[in-house]
Amino acid sequence: MIQKAAILLCTLLAAAASSHAQATKQLKEVVIKGKADIRAKGDTLEYDAARYKTKDNAVVEELLRKLPGVRVDRAGNIIAQGETVLKVLVDGKEFFGNDPAIATRNLPADMVAKIQVLDKRSDQAAFTGIDDGNSTKTINIVTKKEMKKGYFGNASAGGGTRDRYEAGVNINSFTGDKQLSLLFKANNVNKSGFSAGELLRLAGSNPEIFDQLPSYAMAEILKMKGVQATADNPEELAQLSNPTGLNNTQYGGVNFNNDFSNNTALRSSYFYNRFASRNNYDNHRFYQLPDTSYHYYQQGHQTDINNNHRVNASIDIPVNAQNSIKISPLFNSIRSSGVNQLSYRSLNEAQTQLLNNGTQYHQSNASSWQSATDILFRHKFRQERHTLSLTVTPAWLENNNQVRNISLNNIYNIKIPRTDTINQQLRIQGRGFSVNNQFVYTLPLSRTHTLLISENFFHSNTRQQQTAFSFDPVQQQYTLPDERYHDNFSTTNTRSTPALAVSAKYKRFSYTAEAALQTNWQQSNSRVQRYQVNNTYHNLLPRINARYQFSPARKISVDYQTSVQLPAISQLQSLPDISDPMYVRQGNPALKPAIRRSIRASYLFTNADNGSYTNIMANGSIVARQFTDYAVTDSSGKQLITTINANGYANTNVSFQHFFKTDDEGSGITYGLQLAYNAYLSLFNSIQRNNRQYSVTPDISFNYYPAAFLNISAHLNTAWNNTTMLQKPYWLFNYDLSAVATLPWNMQAESEWTGYTTSGLSNNYNTTALLWNASLSKNIGKKYTLKVAATDLLRQNKNVMRMVRGGYTEDQRNNMLGQYFMASLVYQLRSFKKK
């Protein structure tokens, strides 16, 4: 059905393009007369930063919050035109790799001339001019011209009550095409830089990018008990991304970019991050299964420390007019340690009978690294649109993990109550190698049509060894082998994907239609547990991308594609994971690949007459053979969870957003609505439940300038959720109001109220919290700023969230930073050449 709809829509668009072919003129930039806030330039939406005022010493993230069509949540996720922003550029160049938060949370807002929102095409698509469907929602920060003639930045230091501190140095030198940035910051007020956790947060907001994550990030995901990388409910991973606990962070690095006179382009960066977190939590799960229901309460304390080093680089060298080569090495390493101590108890639905209780202690020390080099060779023949490219990407990875697991579990709801104990140490070592090769050849078929012939070949080999030792009370060491949990496991994946594509370009209309035949060979072998996997899969993968541009300011696009996802090693390995003895997870060697068919349509219109902006987007997908948890629960509440394939997974959402100006001083209102539907399965004790989840999310915000010295902004977001599993809806309200005023004597005052309300949660979890933050700053001369700030003046900061999963609902409460006061001094670094 989705395929037919996509083909029909492409046919209609092609007909429209043909009828307008003779009357079409060359597309030009749309400029709003008078004071232009927003411009449409081809596929790029451009904002004039000067029209959106921010407070002194604001960072780019605070500027983005004021832009119509751009949303930044409290965790730092950036949503633009309904999609997650995965890359932020500075003057078209990468800034500390691909992590958006480093640029938006560290660069000053007053350096920005324009903000551009675009879909950045892959290197391959940029070279051939053929849309390969691999675009990334990107924000490009265009700096002011005067910022490219010297250096700028700041140094700051602050201290406050409850031993709070924040300090940092940020120096940037943008000279022509050369960029040099130095950065170091440290704080214990929950302001983080790049970390594996933030990478997981980003992936949680867009589950389809999991295949692009490095090995250490995947390892972090798989350490989360009861959570799969391919979550049944995408909202589950997004909810997990909320920052919790008390965090102490130190991060810094250097970024250097240069475009040399011979058109050679260099991009390079090194980044270091240390992230330490402490959290006390209190969770309540209510299992509502087809044949039983019970409550699970958990209290605990968790500490984590992560140290991460990351090196990114690329050099693009034009050999001659026809040939070029681009080499992009990458290196990531991470060391982590963590301790989680908890106590739990389970009661029947009426909460009158104790089913089980116990304590658990989990300690881990892990290290991993990944190295890869992307080598891209490009050749342009003398004949126009006649190209050849070859990409080779070798990669290596290694990980080591040592886990100590101690638990005491009392089980009462059986004929003879018993106590189970575990005192075990696991040692896990893994290493792997992969190579990804892609060959692409394009040749023109006619003036408007181009043929693309490609082959993608991927091969990987991974080995993992796990040994388990029980505690020896005589020697007081972990020396007693437990062969039940030993394994020596190897996996080989080979993939071949030949494809043919036809691309057409008219003046207003363009499309690419591709058919690929993908063959996957997957072999796995356990030398200890004696199980094997030897499978071959063939799949036809059609893809269609179509664009029609009615005018420079109005366009519609449609994308349809089919993708295949192979099961991960942890999902194939039939070795029990008893790190949580009440929820034992075990892989399944019989798993088959999951197949996702998805379609997306979007409409974008910028009105040149009144400066308004409209964006409409619709997404839909169906997943066959989705990786699904099958849980068998006994009367005591103990679960054995196995991954299986299942059908019946679908999701769709439609969003609408509109912005209009209320005056010529920059004031405006943005309102929108999102409707979402998600279908997924719950499989418990041989009983299947088809779950349906519906949500309605209206959203409104305004930015108002009642006077030149005052800016007021407000935002309200209300999410109504209903699921057949709970049989009752619940509400989540988020609202904020902020005011920034410029006062006499070079002073500036800011007040911010942020609140949230929850309704429909479990008893004692429904809550309303209003957070009031305020600050007063004074400029001393031209270089110094003294600032006094108060956080959580009303002492209401709380962290409560609800997670709806297959089979149960979980309400979580975590400790938060709380109220503190801080005084800080900021020194502005500014040195520019005069005209």
Side-chain angles (χ1 to χ4, degrees), residues 35-49:
K35 298 179 179 180
D37 297 343
I38 309 174
R39 298 183 180 188
K41 302 174 67 175
D43 291 335
T44 302
L45 199 64
E46 184 176 273
Y47 299 86
D48 182 2

Side-chain angles (χ1 to χ4, degrees), residues 283-561:
N283 304 333
H284 170 217
R285 295 179 189 174
F286 178 54
Y287 285 88
Q288 195 171 16
L289 310 179
D291 57 346
T292 184
S293 297
Y294 63 94
H295 297 266
Y296 175 81
Y297 294 92
Q298 185 184 86
Q299 291 180 319
H301 174 75
Q302 184 170 358
T303 60
D304 291 288
I305 299 176
N306 288 274
N307 288 275
N308 173 244
H309 297 266
R310 188 191 68 198
V311 178
N312 289 89
S314 70
I315 183 166
D316 199 338
I317 306 171
V319 179
N320 51 42
Q322 281 76 42
N323 301 290
S324 65
I325 187 169
K326 183 177 182 180
I327 303 174
S328 305
L330 163 72
F331 178 79
N332 272 296
S333 73
I334 187 169
R335 288 184 176 274
S336 64
S337 61
V339 175
N340 186 19
Q341 302 180 72
L342 64 90
S343 61
Y344 72 91
R345 69 186 191 281
S346 299
L347 299 102
N348 63 350
E349 183 175 5
Q351 302 195 59
T352 58
Q353 182 182 2
L354 182 64
L355 305 179
N356 56 60
N357 63 12
T359 60
Q360 296 176 15
Y361 175 87
H362 190 269
Q363 181 186 29
S364 66
N365 291 279
S367 64
S368 63
W369 61 266
Q370 180 198 41
S371 177
T373 301
D374 188 86
I375 304 171
L376 171 62
F377 171 77
R378 295 162 292 195
H379 175 74
K380 283 188 176 182
F381 295 90
R382 298 187 183 277
Q383 185 179 1
E384 186 180 0
R385 300 183 359 247
H386 204 111
T387 68
L388 172 68
S389 63
L390 175 64
T391 305
V392 179
T393 308
W396 299 263
L397 61 91
E398 183 175 315
N399 67 280
N400 293 277
N401 194 6
Q402 184 170 288
V403 179
R404 185 159 55 129
N405 185 25
I406 303 173
S407 66
L408 175 67
N409 306 286
N410 301 307
I411 302 174
Y412 303 108
N413 193 31
I414 53 178
K415 291 183 178 179
I416 303 177
R418 72 172 189 269
T419 298
D420 295 335
T421 61
I422 295 176
N423 193 350
Q424 183 188 78
Q425 185 182 80
L426 290 178
R427 300 167 190 171
I428 304 170
Q429 295 179 319
R431 60 178 55 191
F433 168 79
S434 69
V435 60
N436 190 23
N437 305 312
Q438 185 174 28
F439 168 86
V440 180
Y441 176 69
T442 67
L443 68 159
L445 297 177
S446 66
R447 184 177 60 85
T448 57
H449 289 72
T450 303
L451 177 67
L452 183 147
I453 304 172
S454 66
E455 159 66 22
N456 180 269
F457 179 81
F458 173 82
H459 178 79
S460 70
N461 182 269
T462 305
R463 293 181 177 273
Q464 180 171 296
Q465 181 176 356
Q466 175 175 305
T467 54
F469 297 90
S470 297
F471 186 74
D472 186 344
V474 177
Q475 298 186 17
Q476 293 292 302
Q477 292 181 350
Y478 291 93
T479 56
L480 300 177
D482 191 342
E483 296 184 356
R484 295 175 300 172
Y485 305 104
H486 286 358
D487 202 0
N488 193 329
F489 187 79
S490 64
T491 299
T492 300
N493 289 321
T494 304
R495 180 179 68 241
S496 176
T497 313
L500 287 176
V502 175
S503 178
K505 278 189 176 182
Y506 303 92
K507 292 184 178 180
R508 290 177 181 254
F509 175 66
S510 64
Y511 75 87
T512 300
E514 179 183 86
L517 179 62
Q518 186 174 100
T519 302
N520 284 282
W521 296 271
Q522 189 172 49
Q523 295 178 327
S524 300
N525 180 46
S526 171
R527 297 175 178 83
V528 178
Q529 299 295 331
R530 304 297 181 186
Y531 56 87
Q532 291 184 342
V533 175
N534 192 355
N535 295 320
T536 302
Y537 310 101
H538 303 280
N539 294 282
L540 181 63
L541 308 180
R543 179 177 62 85
I544 300 174
N545 300 320
R547 307 284 186 272
Y548 185 79
Q549 193 134 9
F550 301 92
S551 68
R554 184 171 58 169
K555 65 178 180 179
I556 187 172
S557 62
V558 177
D559 298 298
Y560 168 79
Q561 65 177 349

Side-chain angles (χ1 to χ4, degrees), residues 722-737:
N722 194 8
T723 174
T724 55
M725 184 178 64
L726 294 180
Q727 299 180 350
K728 67 176 182 178
Y730 62 97
W731 291 83
L732 301 173
F733 300 88
N734 291 281
Y735 36 90
D736 59 74
L737 175 67

Side-chain angles (χ1 to χ4, degrees), residues 483-728:
E483 296 184 356
R484 295 175 300 172
Y485 305 104
H486 286 358
D487 202 0
N488 193 329
F489 187 79
S490 64
T491 299
T492 300
N493 289 321
T494 304
R495 180 179 68 241
S496 176
T497 313
L500 287 176
V502 175
S503 178
K505 278 189 176 182
Y506 303 92
K507 292 184 178 180
R508 290 177 181 254
F509 175 66
S510 64
Y511 75 87
T512 300
E514 179 183 86
L517 179 62
Q518 186 174 100
T519 302
N520 284 282
W521 296 271
Q522 189 172 49
Q523 295 178 327
S524 300
N525 180 46
S526 171
R527 297 175 178 83
V528 178
Q529 299 295 331
R530 304 297 181 186
Y531 56 87
Q532 291 184 342
V533 175
N534 192 355
N535 295 320
T536 302
Y537 310 101
H538 303 280
N539 294 282
L540 181 63
L541 308 180
R543 179 177 62 85
I544 300 174
N545 300 320
R547 307 284 186 272
Y548 185 79
Q549 193 134 9
F550 301 92
S551 68
R554 184 171 58 169
K555 65 178 180 179
I556 187 172
S557 62
V558 177
D559 298 298
Y560 168 79
Q561 65 177 349
T562 302
S563 59
V564 175
Q565 183 179 7
L566 294 178
I569 293 178
S570 60
Q571 295 170 320
L572 291 171
Q573 198 172 15
S574 63
L575 194 67
D577 178 3
I578 60 170
S579 55
D580 187 342
M582 298 303 295
Y583 299 90
V584 178
R585 181 175 291 278
Q586 186 170 347
N588 179 7
L591 280 179
K592 296 181 179 180
I595 300 176
R596 176 184 294 271
R597 298 177 176 88
S598 59
I599 187 170
R600 182 184 69 181
S602 64
Y603 171 81
L604 180 64
F605 176 50
T606 303
N607 192 313
D609 296 325
N610 57 23
S612 64
Y613 158 90
T614 302
N615 181 45
I616 302 174
M617 179 174 291
N619 293 278
S621 67
I622 298 174
V623 184
R625 300 201 301 255
Q626 171 72 304
F627 306 138
T628 306
D629 282 350
Y630 171 51
V632 177
T633 307
D634 60 25
S635 58
S636 67
K638 188 174 181 178
Q639 287 190 6
L640 175 62
I641 305 169
T642 308
T643 305
I644 65 171
N645 293 112
N647 297 318
Y649 286 78
N651 66 78
T652 183
N653 68 78
V654 179
S655 62
F656 165 80
Q657 191 176 64
H658 180 72
F659 163 78
F660 63 92
K661 295 196 300 183
T662 56
D663 57 38
D664 289 332
E665 302 303 323
S667 303
I669 296 177
T670 304
Y671 62 89
L673 178 69
Q674 177 173 296
L675 307 175
Y677 166 78
N678 188 29
Y680 58 99
L681 303 181
S682 299
L683 296 167
F684 289 90
N685 297 346
S686 301
I687 300 176
Q688 175 177 313
R689 169 179 285 176
N690 298 314
N691 299 308
R692 302 292 182 265
Q693 184 175 7
Y694 311 86
S695 66
V696 180
T697 309
D699 188 288
I700 186 170
S701 61
F702 75 84
N703 199 29
Y704 180 46
Y705 297 90
F709 65 89
L710 181 63
N711 171 224
I712 300 174
S713 60
H715 173 233
L716 171 64
N717 176 281
T718 303
W720 176 84
N721 297 272
N722 194 8
T723 174
T724 55
M725 184 178 64
L726 294 180
Q727 299 180 350
K728 67 176 182 178

Side-chain angles (χ1 to χ4, degrees), residues 239-260:
Q239 293 265 22
L240 280 171
S241 67
N242 284 349
T244 59
L246 304 176
N247 306 319
N248 195 327
T249 307
Q250 297 86 38
Y251 62 93
V254 57
N255 185 84
F256 178 71
N257 299 322
N258 191 21
D259 293 341
F260 298 95

